[in-house]
């Protein structure tokens, strides 16, 4: 399309130049006929430069000028007509374009050669052909090189994906400095692999924790069942009760894991309703106060700002009670536990042993129980459940040092 447009523009421009040239010559000879006599007019025509224009005028019976005849049916300028002439030179045939000019001495033919235009157009077509051929060849060469580069990267990606498929999840796709679309795809794919590897580590960690936490009660169950037949009748009830307690602990772990999964995946529907944070903290205080008193601990509460949030009252109470229960459980006798509510911000603090910085995020993982707390019975899912419940309510939770002890900060949006 570009070459065709250039060709048309060239033809139009050349035609405009011919028309302007003929119009200028027409005005010149019309003016000349008005200012000189017939003899001088004929002399001017004979002296006309044929390279500028070919002029012909019939003086009585003789032809004066560059041509020996007047073609038939020639129009008056600015209308033009093409006609051929024969010469004795190497180029015997010339194509002229011209027309008649009516002067007071009769019609005058003014013409100019236009076969040079055909030669120019032919040269343009040849040049355009080779330009197009060169461009096409260069495009094909670059396309081949580019396709080979793309194919090479695709082969590399395919090889690495086979490694990933074989279980080498640490494999990553290379990212070059060009930052092209393949690099964007590789970077995004690497992020997916990072998430996958992190989830696999989490699954392995959960598996290890399940094996660690449930092996002991399951072993107790097996031994207890083997020894059950050897127990006297009077001890069967107590032995059976102990086995049932161990079994309930195992079942409680699996039930908690199932509930956690349902909450995290959004499978458990929330009973959304306006929840007053002051009221839920007050209920929390009243229920936990008895537990704290049994250990000679002081439970304090501070409420400020009557704020409501939209949420599931039962799940929120369960999450907050779990935090207060942990504060009571892991704090020594005589410790002080505080519940502070300020607007949409709730803090639960204690002056117990606290948690070291590197464990502050790890405690929210499933089935993680810090070694000092192993002597307490539990599923290791409490804080995971808390975080899952708060996340479903678009609330954030963070752990900080209380110097001494632990401070849990919860903020509702």
């Amino acid at each position: 399309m570009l070459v065709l447009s250039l060709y048309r523009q060239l033809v139009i421009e050349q035609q405009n130049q011919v028309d302007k040239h003929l119009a200028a010559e027409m005005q010149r000879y019309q003016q000349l006929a008005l200012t000189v006599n017939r003899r001088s007019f004929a002399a001017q025509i004979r002296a006309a430069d044929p390279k500028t224009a070919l002029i012909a005028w019939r003086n009585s019976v003789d032809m004066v000028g560059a041509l020996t005849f007047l073609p038939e049916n020639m129009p008056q300028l600015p209308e033009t007509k093409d006609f051929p002439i024969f010469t004795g030179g190497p180029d015997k045939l010339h194509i002229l374009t011209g027309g008649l000019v009516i002067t007071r001495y009769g019609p005058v033919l003014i013409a100019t050669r236009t076969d040079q235009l055909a030669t120019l157009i032919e040269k343009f077509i040849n040049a355009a052909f080779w330009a197009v051929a060169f461009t096409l060849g260069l495009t094909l060469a670059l396309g081949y090189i580019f396709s080979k580069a793309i194919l090479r990267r695709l082969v590399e990606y395919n090889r690495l994906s086979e490694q990933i498929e074989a279980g080498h999840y640490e494999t990553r796709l290379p990212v070059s400095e060009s930052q092209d679309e393949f690099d964007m795809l590789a970077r995004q794919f690497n992020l997916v692999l990072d998430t996958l590897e992190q989830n696999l580590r989490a699954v392995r960690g959960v598996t290890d924790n399940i094996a660690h936490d449930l092996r002991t009660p399951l072993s107790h169950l097996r031994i207890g069942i083997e020894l059950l037949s050897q127990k006297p009748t009077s001890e069967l009830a107590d032995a059976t009760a102990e086995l049932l307690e161990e079994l309930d602990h195992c079942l409680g772990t699996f039930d908690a894991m199932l509930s956690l999964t349902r909450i995290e995946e959004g499978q458990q529907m929330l009973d959304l309703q306006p929840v007053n944070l002051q009221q839920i903290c007050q209920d929390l205080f009243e229920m936990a106060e008895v537990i704290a008193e049994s250990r000679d601990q002081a439970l304090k509460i501070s409420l400020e700002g009557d704020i409501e949030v939209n949420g599931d009252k039962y799940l929120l109470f369960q999450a907050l009670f779990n935090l207060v229960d942990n504060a009571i459980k892991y704090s020594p006798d005589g410790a002080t536990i505080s519940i502070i509510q300020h607007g949409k911000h709730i803090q639960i603090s204690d002056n117990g042993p606290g948690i070291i910085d590197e464990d502050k995020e790890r405690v929210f993982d499933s089935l993680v129980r810090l070694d000092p707390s192993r002597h307490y019975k539990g599923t290791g899912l409490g804080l995971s459940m808390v975080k899952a419940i708060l996340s479903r309510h678009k609330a954030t939770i963070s752990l900080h040092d209380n110097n001494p002890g632990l401070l849990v900060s919860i903020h509702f949006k």
Side-chain angles (χ1 to χ4, degrees):
M1 288 298 294
L2 177 61
V3 174
L4 180 60
S5 177
L6 291 175
Y7 171 77
R8 292 181 60 186
Q9 188 65 30
L10 176 63
V11 172
I12 293 172
E13 183 62 26
Q14 289 295 325
Q15 186 62 47
N16 290 337
Q17 291 294 330
V18 170
D19 292 340
K20 289 180 180 179
H21 179 61
L22 292 178
E25 292 296 319
M26 177 183 68
Q27 292 181 358
R28 176 187 171 193
Y29 282 96
Q30 283 179 335
Q31 188 66 29
L32 182 64
L34 295 175
T35 56
V36 301
N37 56 32
R38 181 180 291 270
R39 184 185 298 275
S40 297
F41 186 71
Q44 289 288 339
I45 290 177
R46 290 190 186 95
D49 185 3
K51 294 180 180 180
T52 302
L54 294 116
I55 312 300
W57 171 58
R58 186 182 296 278
N59 183 9
S60 301
V61 294
D62 296 328
M63 288 297 299
V64 178
L67 300 177
T68 59
F69 72 101
L70 287 176
E72 297 180 355
N73 302 322
M74 290 298 296
Q76 293 185 17
L77 292 175
E79 298 293 330
T80 61
K81 179 181 178 181
D82 296 340
F83 60 93
I85 62 170
F86 292 91
T87 66
D91 298 329
K92 293 185 177 182
L93 179 63
H94 291 168
I95 302 298
L96 303 181
T97 298
L100 297 177
V101 177
I102 304 302
T103 69
R104 69 171 182 163
Y105 298 125
V108 177
L109 175 64
I110 302 176
T112 185
R113 287 185 60 179
T114 54
D115 47 1
Q116 299 96 331
L117 175 60
T119 303
L120 179 62
I121 292 175
E122 183 179 356
K123 291 180 179 180
F124 172 80
I125 293 175
N126 289 335
F129 171 78
W130 288 111
V132 171
F134 174 77
T135 303
L136 183 60
L138 181 63
T139 302
L140 291 176
L142 292 176
Y144 176 77
I145 295 173
F146 185 67
S147 64
K148 290 291 289 184
I150 292 178
L151 182 61
R152 184 165 56 251
R153 296 181 74 175
L154 290 177
V155 170
E156 177 70 7
Y157 288 176
N158 185 63
R159 184 183 65 81
L160 294 175
S161 65
E162 289 177 351
Q163 292 184 10
I164 297 169
E165 185 180 4
H168 301 284
Y169 299 112
E170 74 283 356
T171 305
R172 296 295 182 269
L173 300 184
V175 179
S176 67
E177 296 179 356
S178 60
Q179 302 298 319
D180 57 13
E181 289 79 2
F182 280 94
D183 293 321
M184 294 173 60
L185 179 62
R187 190 178 295 105
Q188 187 63 36
F189 192 72
N190 288 341
L191 290 176
V192 174
L193 290 176
D194 291 340
T195 303
L196 176 62
E197 191 175 16
Q198 183 178 0
N199 291 338
L200 287 175
R201 283 198 298 266
V203 170
R204 293 191 187 102
V206 169
T207 304
D208 292 342
N209 287 328
I210 290 176
H212 188 282
D213 280 4
L214 296 185
R215 182 172 182 175
T216 299
L218 289 176
S219 298
H220 288 170
L221 279 172
R222 188 180 190 283
I223 296 172
I225 292 173
E226 288 179 350
L227 297 177
L228 197 61
S229 60
Q230 304 174 14
K231 297 280 184 182
T233 306
S234 60
E235 298 180 5
L236 282 179
D238 292 337
T240 303
E242 291 179 2
L243 293 177
L244 287 175
E245 184 179 355
E246 294 286 353
L247 184 59
D248 287 340
H249 172 68
C250 296
L251 292 175
T253 300
F254 287 110
D255 287 341
M257 290 179 61
L258 182 60
S259 298
L260 176 61
T261 301
R262 287 175 176 174
I263 292 174
E264 288 180 334
E265 300 297 328
Q267 298 174 359
Q268 180 171 336
M269 298 298 295
L270 302 181
D271 183 17
L272 296 178
Q273 56 182 300
V275 178
N276 189 290
L277 293 184
Q278 276 195 1
Q279 185 61 48
I280 200 172
C281 288
Q282 185 64 43
D283 295 341
L284 186 66
F285 172 79
E286 293 174 359
M287 179 170 288
E289 188 178 22
V290 178
I291 304 175
E293 288 177 352
S294 67
R295 299 192 57 183
D296 295 326
Q297 295 173 338
L299 183 62
K300 299 181 179 180
I301 186 170
S302 174
L303 305 176
E304 182 180 349
D306 192 6
I307 296 294
E308 287 188 348
V309 296
N310 199 35
D312 189 311
K313 184 176 181 180
Y314 169 76
L315 288 179
L316 286 177
F317 184 85
Q318 178 184 348
L320 295 175
F321 183 81
N322 189 293
L323 295 173
V324 175
D325 185 58
N326 281 348
I328 295 173
K329 183 187 300 183
Y330 299 119
S331 295
D333 293 348
T336 299
I337 294 93
S338 299
I339 302 172
I340 302 173
Q341 178 263 330
H342 179 73
K344 292 186 177 182
H345 193 72
I346 296 177
Q347 289 184 341
I348 299 172
S349 61
D350 62 67
N351 52 6
I355 299 176
I356 60 176
D357 291 340
E358 51 265 32
D359 289 335
K360 282 186 172 65
E361 286 297 325
R362 195 167 69 89
V363 293
F364 292 110
D365 296 338
S366 299
L367 292 171
V368 169
R369 297 172 64 203
L370 304 182
D371 289 338
S373 68
R374 288 286 181 184
H375 58 281
Y376 291 106
K377 272 200 171 185
T379 63
L381 293 168
L383 290 179
S384 299
M385 187 79 72
V386 169
K387 189 169 185 179
I389 292 173
L390 294 177
S391 296
R392 285 291 303 277
H393 288 81
K394 295 182 173 55
T396 58
I397 180 172
S398 56
L399 305 182
H400 308 276
D401 289 330
N402 198 35
N403 299 317
L406 182 68
L407 187 146
V408 182
S409 180
I410 301 167
H411 182 72
F412 292 88
K413 295 182 178 179

